[in-house]
Amino acid sequence: MISDITLGQFFPGYSPIHKLDPRTKIILATAFIVAVFMANNPVSFLLLTLGALVLVAVSRLSFKVVFKGIKPIILILLFTALINVFMTSGEGTPLFELGIIKIYTEGIVRAVFMAVRVVILIIGTSVLLTYTTSPISLTDGIESLLSPLKKIGVPVHTFAMMMSIALRFIPTLVEETEKIMNAQKSRGADFTSGSLVNRAKALIPLLIPLFVSSFKRAEELATAMECRCYRGDKNRTKLVKLEYKGRDILWFLIFAAALAILILTTVLPYNLDISGQIYEIVFYQI
Amino acid sequence: MNSILELKDVSYVYSKGTPFEKVALDKVNIAFEKGKITGLIGHTGSGKSTLVGLLNGLNKPTEGTVFLDGVDIWEKPKEISRVRYRVGLVMQYPEYQLFDETVREDIAFAPKNLGLDDVEIEARVRDAASFAGIGEELLDKSPFDLSGGQKRRAAIAGIIAMRPDVLVLDEPAAGLDPRGRSEILGSLRKYADDSSASVILVSHSMEDMAHYCDNVVVMADGRIHSSGTVDEIFSVAEKLSKIGLDVPSVSKIVSALAARGIDLKGKLYTVEGVKDAILEYIKEVNK
């Protein structure tokens, strides 16, 4: 049920990716996103897919877990892909024609590229960040990367603290929701059937206790923080200081090389000597 | 045997197939009898709460079967809510489930879901409230204005209003003062007798077990460590301390006396029993 959602869940481990500095991972993930949007032909997409698979393998996460994260978006993905297939008009004769529906090669190519792009995007960023980085070190990384903004008066520390508190309480809230759901189910509440109106009404016995306890918890947390003299980031030192190590530099170099190769593939293929129609379809630029 | 709820070879595994996989229950067999109070005791993480969730069909056993009146409760998964009406479950800290505007409305939530008519609902609310020790004057208050103990009782009344054949309570007295404790636990005997229901009481407290239960089931590491009547279980109290459970305080007095060569006889796990045994012993010595 609720606990089946893996998107955005941290899996503890000791793989090379787990050990990287969170800042490195944030920067690499950004580079990965850029790469995903630069890819525009089969060769570059193949490279990207390969890269994503290597990342999964290096992270030592099971492929099953990683693909489970994609499950929730499959429907949306299919829908967008279909719209792309039907709505894209191209040159030449359509592959298929039925009344106003015309399917062009370009549409299919575009739909496939779009789907592959989104899937790889999710796999790459979740393996680099959410699956392998604990929420705490993730916020540490963000805070450190954004710290230059402090000079112009942006309360970076406060934002980071808010974010880590929010992340910290997601599992608690999920647990609490399940508990209250179970309690109300034990009293015969039905959350899964009935008309839309009835289902919305059925949520009241869930939401009210959830709100009440969330407010209570927030207040308790604030009191507890004040009792320990928390006052923001002034004069505050860190228990774990972030430091770039040799492996971070190595990963930067590997990523830079991979990115360079990818950029090359986006420009070069037109000079490759592949004849026939396959060439036209395969190296069609979107 | 007059059993109503029975578990056969029940296992439960959390997050099967992920790195977090954990076997919480391992081939558990128990039967719960009508009109009896059964205590379920065990360490944190021994599988008590998991077991409780299986009894009324909140969770489905990974393996094995739960029988209610001889019928597999998961035979028709769509009708699982019927099982939930017959097996009333009071969860830990049940006051978190209160949500309605008045205590009356909140207690009426379950009977309303049952589809009863207004007259019957009103009667059940009154019954359940008086049973759980909620005074008339509290019924029209907001549940959020009650004290901790009153909230707990209102929540228990919300389950009792279903008039379940099996009443399961997970740590119903946790965090209450001694008086609230004895009031809530004491009313369970009345419920078991009046409606010949089976009451299942989950608790950490050996004193409560010894005092309020007929039978005791001891759990350890997801298995049944031992089970039997209160007499049987507490006569081998040392076995319990081996798996890290606390024996009733009076048992410590008894074993301290035994170490000094004073052997008492009788029910040596309740305060009354030990008192009688000591008086008996003094009589014997004076003869």
Side-chain angles (χ1 to χ4, degrees):
Chain A
M1 255 190 23
I2 306 178
S3 51
D4 287 339
I5 300 171
T6 53
L7 194 73
Q9 190 184 342
F10 169 54
F11 290 95
Y14 297 96
S15 78
I17 298 186
H18 282 88
K19 283 182 194 155
L20 282 179
D21 188 293
R23 289 171 299 180
T24 310
K25 285 193 265 190
I26 295 169
I27 296 169
L28 294 187
T30 319
F32 190 85
I33 295 170
V34 171
V36 166
F37 283 101
M38 285 187 73
N40 58 3
N41 62 47
V43 177
S44 49
F45 270 110
L46 207 70
L47 268 178
L48 263 182
T49 317
L50 215 69
L53 291 181
V54 168
L55 280 179
V56 178
V58 173
S59 72
R60 291 187 209 143
L61 295 163
S62 76
F63 279 88
K64 222 170 118 191
V65 166
V66 174
F67 285 111
K68 225 173 142 191
I70 303 170
K71 246 192 193 161
I73 60 148
I74 279 183
L75 256 180
I76 307 170
L77 211 59
L78 274 177
F79 188 69
T80 350
L82 279 180
I83 288 193
N84 264 312
V85 168
F86 291 127
M87 295 306 194
T88 312
S89 58
E91 297 150 19
T93 47
L95 282 180
F96 175 82
E97 210 174 341
L98 186 84
I100 50 161
I101 298 169
K102 286 186 187 126
I103 296 176
Y104 293 90
T105 324
E106 289 90 338
I108 293 174
V109 172
R110 178 178 270 195
V112 170
F113 279 7
M114 193 272 318
V116 172
R117 190 171 269 166
V118 173
V119 169
I120 290 180
L121 188 74
I122 289 177
I123 292 181
T125 48
S126 57
V127 166
L128 271 174
L129 290 176
T130 45
Y131 284 157
T132 57
T133 320
S134 76
I136 301 291
S137 64
L138 196 61
T139 40
D140 269 357
I142 293 173
E143 185 181 351
S144 162
L145 281 176
L146 293 182
S147 56
L149 292 179
K150 277 182 197 166
K151 293 207 177 82
I152 55 165
V154 179
V156 174
H157 175 81
T158 314
F159 283 138
M161 181 53 91
M162 275 162 61
M163 203 174 127
S164 57
I165 289 174
L167 286 170
R168 157 66 186 79
F169 280 100
I170 288 174
T172 314
L173 217 62
V174 169
E175 204 177 291
E176 183 112 356
T177 311
E178 253 175 23
K179 240 189 230 166
I180 295 170
M181 255 177 136
N182 278 342
Q184 307 300 23
K185 273 196 219 159
S186 298
R187 298 207 276 166
D190 186 0
F191 295 107
T192 49
S193 62
S195 68
L196 209 61
V197 177
N198 279 340
R199 260 196 248 187
K201 268 189 191 161
L203 285 179
I204 294 174
L206 174 65
L207 291 180
I208 290 180
L210 208 57
F211 267 106
V212 170
S213 66
S214 296
F215 279 117
K216 215 169 118 190
R217 184 170 293 124
E219 216 173 291
E220 277 167 9
L221 181 71
T223 314
M225 284 168 84
E226 258 169 31
C227 287
R228 296 210 256 163
C229 305
Y230 177 80
R231 51 186 179 134
D233 93 307
K234 245 187 189 167
N235 300 330
R236 197 173 166 80
T237 55
K238 285 218 181 292
L239 176 62
V240 184
K241 275 210 163 154
L242 295 177
E243 245 177 298
Y244 289 114
K245 301 223 172 66
R247 53 169 167 261
D248 293 298
I249 294 163
L250 183 70
W251 274 77
F252 275 129
L253 291 177
I254 294 172
F255 251 70
L259 201 61
I261 294 173
L262 193 107
I263 292 171
L264 276 181
T265 63
T266 59
V267 212
L268 278 184
Y270 304 98
N271 304 329
L272 292 179
D273 188 40
I274 298 171
S275 53
Q277 248 209 325
I278 305 163
Y279 172 88
E280 255 178 75
I281 296 170
V282 169
F283 289 128
Y284 180 80
Q285 268 227 327
I286 48 166
Chain B
M1 207 167 59
N2 204 2
S3 70
I4 177 161
L5 193 63
E6 203 178 336
L7 274 72
K8 220 171 166 201
D9 291 329
V10 168
S11 299
Y12 192 81
V13 184
Y14 281 106
S15 316
K16 204 171 181 169
T18 72
F20 303 107
E21 182 169 309
K22 187 179 177 293
V23 179
L25 286 179
D26 190 11
K27 295 218 160 57
V28 168
N29 287 292
I30 333 176
F32 298 102
E33 288 173 57
K34 276 182 195 164
K36 294 270 163 108
I37 301 182
T38 308
L40 201 61
I41 197 160
H43 233 251
T44 317
S46 62
K48 288 172 300 176
S49 293
T50 312
L51 182 69
V52 162
L54 295 177
L55 294 178
N56 77 337
L58 282 177
N59 292 320
K60 196 177 175 181
T62 317
E63 267 169 58
T65 324
V66 182
F67 293 102
L68 180 62
D69 271 340
V71 181
D72 178 3
I73 63 167
W74 285 101
E75 202 176 72
K76 292 176 188 152
K78 288 206 167 155
E79 291 174 17
I80 196 68
S81 61
R82 287 198 191 169
V83 173
R84 296 195 184 129
Y85 292 127
R86 293 198 53 204
V87 182
L89 169 61
V90 180
M91 309 235 299
Q92 259 177 50
Y93 300 102
E95 54 271 30
Y96 290 126
Q97 72 187 34
L98 298 172
F99 71 95
D100 229 321
E101 275 171 57
T102 63
V103 175
R104 184 193 306 276
E105 294 280 311
D106 204 278
I107 298 176
F109 180 64
K112 262 186 199 158
N113 287 332
L114 262 167
L116 301 171
D117 59 69
D118 288 352
V119 182
E120 175 72 15
I121 290 177
E122 180 60 24
R124 284 197 177 201
V125 169
R126 274 170 196 284
D127 268 12
S130 80
F131 187 87
I134 299 278
E136 283 278 320
E137 74 285 357
L138 293 178
L139 282 181
D140 290 314
K141 272 194 170 184
S142 158
F144 298 105
D145 290 338
L146 302 184
S147 74
Q150 288 169 333
K151 274 187 198 170
R152 179 78 54 91
R153 270 180 258 163
I156 293 176
I159 299 291
I160 288 191
M162 301 194 295
R163 301 212 176 129
D165 299 324
V166 181
L167 181 62
V168 188
L169 302 103
D170 195 352
E171 299 271 6
L176 291 188
D177 55 29
R179 190 169 156 202
R181 228 183 151 78
S182 64
E183 274 175 9
I184 283 180
L185 295 175
S187 61
L188 297 181
R189 168 60 64 197
K190 199 168 154 274
Y191 189 76
D193 289 346
D194 287 359
S195 46
S196 76
S198 177
V199 175
I200 300 165
L201 176 65
V202 180
S203 174
H204 277 300
S205 157
M206 284 295 191
E207 259 91 20
D208 290 349
M209 291 277 144
H211 202 269
Y212 297 104
C213 296
D214 303 304
N215 299 320
V216 177
V217 175
V218 184
M219 297 199 58
D221 298 325
R223 290 161 206 259
I224 306 287
H225 175 271
S226 50
S227 67
T229 62
V230 171
D231 287 333
E232 286 163 5
I233 293 297
F234 287 106
S235 57
V236 286
E238 317 84 62
K239 258 173 83 182
L240 297 182
S241 46
K242 255 183 216 150
I243 59 165
L245 288 173
D246 224 6
V247 295
S249 314
V250 282
S251 297
K252 290 179 190 158
I253 298 178
V254 172
S255 43
L257 286 172
R260 286 173 175 73
I262 301 170
D263 284 316
L264 301 174
K265 288 174 192 68
K267 297 191 172 190
L268 300 178
Y269 45 82
T270 61
V271 178
E272 285 79 30
V274 173
K275 184 190 82 185
D276 291 345
I278 292 177
L279 289 176
E280 191 69 24
Y281 180 81
I282 293 170
K283 253 190 226 163
E284 288 283 310
V285 172
N286 287 346
K287 249 182 210 172

